[in-house]
Amino acid sequence: MDFRMNGGMSLRRKRFGSVTGTIVEMVPTRLGNRRANGCVIFVTVEDMDGNTVNFVLSPATYVVDFETLSVGTRCTFWYSMDAPMPLIYPPQYNAVVAASERNGRMINVGYYNMALVNEDQTLQLNMDGSVNVRTTNNQYFQGSPANHDLVVVYGSSTRSIPAQTTPELVVVLCE
């Protein structure tokens, strides 16, 4: 969905929301009417303000660096703001991307346009030949990452607007 602003510049509505907090519980759960088989995990996260949010971690969830998440781990979970969700408290989302917090590592999840600028115009990617571009199942991505939803892992960026970075890893969230 595009929104036009002054000068004809197109801005997309932000597609991914995120929650950062500490995992306080992980329980195997069932999906639909299937019994719990260990493939789907119900994760409870508590944020810095003590609010609780639940995430469904499925085999379709991309976990950055394929890390093993556990109770006590400080993480960020991204979810699709377009996906249907039950109107319950605490909120419950299907996790699209999950990443544990690590010093010196920053992660941005969102749509990047043809100029490799993210949807909220805060980060632009400089893609030199050294950038590792993969799919969620760790295969080399054969096309251009432009005009895709991306997971961008980077260490530093410029202080410009938008900030610019040469990422360490770009993961294309193929539809």
Side-chain angles (χ1 to χ4, degrees):
M1 178 176 289
D2 286 342
F3 296 104
R4 300 275 173 202
M5 292 190 45
N6 295 340
M9 184 170 71
S10 175
L11 289 178
R12 290 172 57 100
R13 183 177 55 81
K14 191 167 174 134
R15 181 165 173 221
F16 296 98
S18 67
V19 173
T20 299
T22 302
I23 297 174
V24 295
E25 186 176 37
M26 296 181 78
V27 178
T29 190
R30 61 190 186 103
L31 196 57
N33 59 4
R34 291 185 240 153
R35 63 185 182 89
N37 64 4
C39 288
V40 178
I41 302 169
F42 196 74
V43 180
T44 302
V45 176
E46 189 174 291
D47 71 12
M48 295 284 283
D49 299 324
N51 299 313
T52 300
V53 180
N54 294 318
F55 286 95
V56 176
L57 199 64
S58 74
T61 304
Y62 174 68
V63 180
V64 175
D65 292 338
F66 302 98
E67 295 173 309
T68 301
L69 305 179
S70 59
V71 171
T73 304
R74 186 155 171 77
C75 297
T76 299
F77 292 85
W78 287 266
Y79 59 92
S80 173
M81 292 171 49
D82 295 333
M85 60 192 75
L87 297 174
I88 58 174
Y89 184 83
Q92 177 180 315
Y93 304 107
N94 290 320
V96 175
V97 176
S100 65
E101 210 169 77
R102 203 188 288 169
N103 283 339
R105 176 175 81 176
M106 295 187 278
I107 299 173
N108 182 271
V109 177
Y111 177 84
Y112 283 76
N113 66 19
M114 190 58 122
L116 292 171
V117 176
N118 68 352
E119 58 210 343
D120 51 4
Q121 308 281 305
T122 59
L123 189 64
Q124 181 172 19
L125 307 183
N126 295 323
M127 300 295 287
D128 64 15
S130 72
V131 177
N132 192 359
V133 182
R134 301 286 183 133
T135 61
T136 56
N137 64 358
N138 207 31
Q139 302 308 301
Y140 289 108
F141 184 72
Q142 301 297 321
S144 168
N147 296 320
H148 283 90
D149 291 325
L150 305 176
V151 177
V152 177
V153 180
Y154 61 104
S156 63
S157 63
T158 64
R159 292 180 182 242
S160 60
I161 298 174
Q164 295 182 31
T165 188
T166 301
E168 297 165 17
L169 173 68
V170 172
V171 177
V172 179
L173 297 175
C174 298
E175 300 271 327

